Amino acid sequence: MTPPLLDVSALKTYFFTPRSLIKAIGGIDFSIAAGQTLALVGESGCGKSMTALSILRLVPEPGKIVDGTISFAGEDLLRLPQTEMRRIRGNRIAMIFQEPMTSLNPVFTVKRQIGEVLELHRGLRGKEQEEEAAELLHQVGIPDPRQRLESYPHQLSGGMRQRMMIAMALAGHPQLLIADEPTTALDVTIQAQILELLCELRRSRGMAMLLISHDLGVVAETADAVAIMYAGLIMEAADVASLFNDPRHPYTQGLLACIPRLGEERHRLVPIPGQVTDGLGSSDGCPFAPRCREVMHQCREHLPELREVAPNHQVRCWKVL
């Protein structure tokens, strides 16, 4: 059996503040095979983006990865020196951030910003660099790519800025692309175009992709497998068809119940009461217990393990174990 391209095991990332310890990631396991898309899904504050930053070893202070392994192409990223890690970031592992305008420099042209990536990771300069930058813009569907090279970020639409971010991410020929809410700030039509582009690029380049999202509709159209995350833990993981057709965890069921469906008559959507825990609690029980409609006594006392309940379908819940 071919080993996964990315294998995350028992990963824990904590934030140490003067007053408290915040467990942003409480010990998670997942893997992504070459050419596969895994979607990491959950509400805001559940630890999705921190998982991505942990993989890249970009956790901001006072955060720290305290345990676990992150194996990429057979190498443990947590053991690599910073110089080697810098060569991997943006080259073998690239990331598309949620809001392009916070990631792009407003005073530099498109040519300069893509050019810096090409020079850093591929050593391209001058005419060769400009040709490759124009080709990357063409690949991501930006019209008149040579003309756009001279544009500044504020002169581009939201969709074009996101395409520019994708072009910069692809400049180093990554094996793994991390896409953190890549369509959140875009209108529905542009969202569909960006998702179609990411899927086509993944197929043509043979990349693996970690898609971070809170939108299960996006996940259903894009991903091969799904991991549902809550309060720094994975609550359910399965292939897309299994998760949508047979959700086992009450949190997954609650997320799916919030989605309106064409042809299905409902008087109103059913929200999940409460909000995601802040990670400050010291309870040994399931973090979803305070919001769960099916909570039992043992849920408040003991955290269940993530166990396989069907082939390639894992759940962390006392109700189904």
Side-chain angles (χ1 to χ4, degrees):
M1 184 176 178
T2 305
L5 176 66
L6 178 73
D7 187 30
V8 175
S9 177
L11 178 65
K12 295 181 180 180
T13 300
Y14 295 171
F15 280 76
F16 299 86
T17 70
R19 295 186 178 182
S20 60
L21 170 66
I22 300 173
K23 299 179 179 180
I25 302 174
I28 62 172
D29 305 84
F30 64 87
S31 60
I32 308 176
Q36 181 189 34
T37 295
L38 170 70
L40 200 56
V41 179
E43 296 168 272
S44 297
C46 70
K48 306 185 301 296
S49 295
M50 195 53 59
T51 298
L53 293 175
S54 296
I55 292 170
L56 292 167
R57 283 176 54 185
L58 292 174
V59 177
E61 294 289 344
K64 184 179 180 181
I65 299 171
V66 298
D67 199 7
T69 59
I70 303 173
S71 176
F72 176 71
E75 291 184 287
D76 186 354
L77 299 183
L78 299 184
R79 294 182 178 271
L80 293 180
Q82 278 292 347
T83 51
E84 182 61 27
M85 195 63 211
R86 279 194 290 268
R87 280 194 287 269
I88 288 175
R89 284 190 215 109
N91 187 13
R92 297 172 65 194
I93 303 176
M95 184 166 177
I96 305 167
F97 292 91
Q98 183 170 347
E99 176 46 64
M101 281 305 281
T102 63
S103 305
L104 298 173
N105 193 318
V107 301
F108 291 156
T109 62
V110 171
K111 179 168 67 175
R112 177 162 178 180
Q113 296 189 62
I114 297 179
E116 285 182 347
V117 180
L118 290 169
E119 182 174 347
L120 177 64
H121 294 299
R122 292 170 57 185
L124 300 183
R125 293 181 175 84
K127 191 65 176 177
E128 189 179 17
Q129 181 188 102
E130 185 174 339
E131 291 290 332
E132 182 62 17
E135 175 58 26
L136 285 167
L137 293 185
H138 172 71
Q139 288 179 20
V140 298
I142 291 181
D144 302 318
R146 291 190 179 279
Q147 181 180 340
R148 287 300 178 187
L149 284 175
E150 305 303 327
S151 299
Y152 291 88
H154 73 273
Q155 296 174 312
L156 305 177
S157 67
M160 280 193 178
R161 285 195 292 266
Q162 193 61 285
R163 288 173 188 269
M164 178 185 168
M165 288 294 299
I166 295 170
M168 292 173 67
L170 296 177
H173 296 311
Q175 296 168 271
L176 172 65
L177 180 65
I178 301 174
D180 187 1
E181 302 275 11
T183 61
T184 296
L186 306 175
D187 65 52
V188 175
T189 303
I190 304 300
Q191 279 187 26
Q193 293 174 3
I194 294 296
L195 290 172
E196 185 179 354
L197 171 64
L198 288 173
C199 290
E200 176 55 35
L201 290 169
R202 186 202 69 173
R203 286 190 294 267
S204 63
R205 290 172 171 250
M207 293 185 303
M209 185 161 68
L210 176 61
L211 174 65
I212 296 171
S213 181
H214 66 275
D215 189 333
L216 283 165
V218 166
V219 169
E221 294 291 329
T222 311
D224 302 305
V226 189
I228 303 294
M229 198 167 184
Y230 184 83
L233 293 169
I234 290 177
M235 295 299 181
E236 185 165 5
D239 63 83
V240 167
S242 296
L243 188 120
F244 278 82
N245 294 328
D246 186 24
R248 301 290 188 93
H249 197 282
Y251 181 54
T252 309
Q253 294 168 357
L255 291 176
L256 290 169
C258 293
I259 303 174
R261 290 177 172 83
L262 289 174
E264 183 176 320
E265 185 176 344
R266 295 190 198 179
H267 294 292
R268 60 184 299 173
L269 299 178
V270 183
I272 302 173
Q275 59 186 9
V276 180
T277 178
D278 56 14
L280 292 169
S282 59
S283 170
D284 294 325
C286 173
F288 187 62
R291 304 177 69 188
C292 185
R293 300 177 188 276
E294 302 178 51
V295 64
M296 303 180 291
H297 176 72
Q298 67 201 81
C299 302
R300 303 185 190 279
E301 301 294 329
H302 304 287
L303 177 67
E305 295 180 3
L306 187 67
R307 293 185 181 176
E308 191 165 75
V309 295
N312 299 315
H313 195 155
Q314 299 172 302
V315 182
R316 187 190 300 276
C317 181
W318 289 116
K319 187 185 77 168
V320 297
L321 297 181

